[in-house]
Amino acid sequence: EVLGVRPEFRALRAHCPLLAIWDDHDYGMNDGGRHYPQKEASKEVFLDFWGESGESSRFDHAGIYHEERFTDGARTVQVLLLDTRTFRDDLVPAAEDPRFKNAYRPNLDPEATILGEAQWAWLEKCLHAPADLRVIATSIQFGHSYNGWESWTNVPLERQRLIETVQRSRANGVVLISGDVHWGEISRQDVDGGYPLYDVTASGINQEWDVIEPNTRRVGEAVAEHNVGFLDIDWSTPDPVVTLGSVDVNGKERHQIQVALSELSFSD
């Protein structure tokens, strides 16, 4: 059965705009990275399925990273869609080393990359553009602590580079959203000399996992059942409020946190 003809998906698509990035099984290889030989074919299929306009800048470069901007004339939300597959170097297996668990250990090679240089340059340029709130979408988790599964913690120097890129650009209002792990949670990464980076993980809308990994940066409780995440912005107050949270399969809010926009900004 083709996903694009399922009535549930067609109803969703008819009621709201959809912005998509791929994770490994959309890309075509479990935990796949830059060495996947069919990545160009996957890109063609992916962008065709999601109805990407032929004028989209996604066709002008390798990978599927992209920027979207939404504005009412007074406030602007910038959405930065990252590609964590096309350029990512191979992960390092945990093997039999008892210091590490599950599938992978951190790769400390300073040359190892997740985004690749072209995407890094694009991201930094985007962060210098004006916006009130910036949502960075990454298919793999960013804000959590190491758990041995695929995430930014597998390439910690790249993870630190993202923090430093936000710092260097002085970009206010950055929030991350992620998926991949088959549970929902919110992580908070405190940053010296900057503001905390929140990562709202929502997954999966139709998948569960039998073990929720510990996360020292988790805010509130994790959601084991099918879930979706949400991000709500109340612009009506002098200091707009951003609400981050998760909703389960029954439509019940499972957890949420509220953050004033001023808390997501540099002091100078």
Side-chain angles (χ1 to χ4, degrees):
E1 185 176 12
V2 179
L3 177 62
V5 301
R6 290 180 64 94
E8 302 92 339
F9 180 79
R10 291 170 67 90
L12 174 65
R13 198 166 190 167
H15 282 85
C16 64
L18 302 178
L19 302 178
I21 56 174
W22 56 23
D23 200 34
D24 48 350
H25 297 283
D26 315 290
Y27 185 57
M29 178 182 179
N30 186 55
D31 292 356
R34 69 182 180 90
H35 295 297
Y36 176 56
Q38 301 299 324
K39 60 186 178 182
E40 291 303 322
S42 290
K43 175 179 177 177
E44 182 178 343
V45 171
F46 183 86
L47 296 182
D48 178 66
F49 176 85
W50 291 102
E52 196 78 13
S53 165
E55 299 177 355
S56 169
S57 64
R58 280 176 148 176
F59 293 100
D60 298 336
H61 57 72
I64 62 163
Y65 58 87
H66 189 57
E67 177 194 30
E68 291 283 350
R69 298 175 69 86
F70 301 89
T71 183
D72 62 1
R75 302 283 190 173
T76 298
V77 176
Q78 178 189 53
V79 181
L80 299 172
L81 306 170
L82 300 186
D83 182 341
T84 62
R85 297 289 161 191
T86 303
F87 312 99
R88 199 215 68 212
D89 284 315
D90 292 340
L91 302 176
V92 179
E96 302 300 321
D97 192 322
R99 295 175 299 172
F100 306 103
K101 64 176 183 175
N102 296 324
Y104 303 111
R105 69 173 72 186
N107 183 355
L108 300 179
D109 181 351
E111 300 299 318
T113 188
I114 291 178
L115 299 186
E117 288 305 315
Q119 187 172 188
W120 274 117
W122 163 84
L123 177 60
E124 183 149 8
K125 180 179 178 181
C126 288
L127 289 174
H128 277 95
D132 297 286
L133 184 72
R134 307 168 195 271
V135 181
I136 298 180
T138 165
S139 68
I140 54 175
Q141 286 188 292
F142 174 83
H144 72 128
S145 52
Y146 166 80
N147 62 32
W149 297 119
E150 192 179 24
S151 77
W152 282 78
T153 60
N154 298 135
V155 194
L157 298 180
E158 285 283 270
R159 188 178 184 278
Q160 182 61 29
R161 183 173 180 175
L162 181 52
I163 294 171
E164 292 173 356
T165 298
V166 173
Q167 296 282 87
R168 186 167 55 251
S169 67
R170 312 301 284 178
N172 293 329
V174 171
V175 175
L176 294 103
I177 58 176
S178 62
D180 180 62
V181 292
H182 308 313
W183 64 81
E185 64 181 343
I186 299 174
S187 302
R188 172 183 165 133
Q189 169 68 63
D190 291 320
V191 178
D192 290 339
Y195 58 87
L197 294 175
Y198 289 93
D199 179 5
V200 182
T201 300
S203 61
I205 196 170
N206 65 345
Q207 296 288 326
E208 295 178 354
W209 194 250
D210 55 354
V211 176
I212 296 179
E213 295 288 341
N215 176 9
T216 60
R217 301 190 185 100
R218 183 180 295 140
V219 180
E221 299 297 321
V223 181
E225 298 84 0
H226 297 171
N227 65 89
V228 296
F230 70 89
L231 189 158
D232 181 80
I233 315 158
D234 181 359
W235 298 113
S236 66
T237 61
D239 189 1
V241 175
V242 182
T243 304
L244 314 172
S246 296
V247 176
D248 68 20
V249 69
N250 297 311
K252 179 182 178 181
E253 258 187 43
R254 295 295 296 274
H255 60 215
Q256 68 161 259
I257 60 172
Q258 292 188 326
V259 185
L261 198 57
S262 62
E263 298 176 51
L264 303 176
S265 63
F266 292 96
S267 57
D268 57 346

